[in-house]
Amino acid sequence: MAIFRQYILPFLIVLVFLVSLVAVTARAFLPGDMAAPAPVEETIPVAPAVSANFVKFSPII
């Protein structure tokens, strides 16, 4: 277990960091239109089918 904690786990952490660093850095070398975020389609809001006001409160007298 000590070998895993001292050698393997730190290596995996550094490896994940380096892969993510390369992925983020690669965006700088992409063409301008590929580096932009993906377009999002606008959706039309739909009214709820059932009203949420089905509980009526009566004042306590």
Side-chain angles (χ1 to χ4, degrees), residues 16-27:
V16 168
F17 172 75
L18 290 176
V19 168
S20 62
L21 182 66
V22 168
V24 170
T25 306
R27 289 191 53 148

Side-chain angles (χ1 to χ4, degrees), residues 1-54:
M1 190 68 174
I3 293 173
F4 182 75
R5 197 178 310 138
Q6 291 179 353
Y7 297 107
I8 298 173
L9 193 61
F11 174 74
L12 291 176
I13 292 171
V14 170
L15 184 67
V16 168
F17 172 75
L18 290 176
V19 168
S20 62
L21 182 66
V22 168
V24 170
T25 306
R27 289 191 53 148
F29 299 105
L30 290 175
D33 58 341
M34 291 181 66
V40 178
E41 296 181 14
E42 292 186 26
T43 58
I44 301 172
V46 178
V50 179
S51 176
N53 296 329
F54 57 86

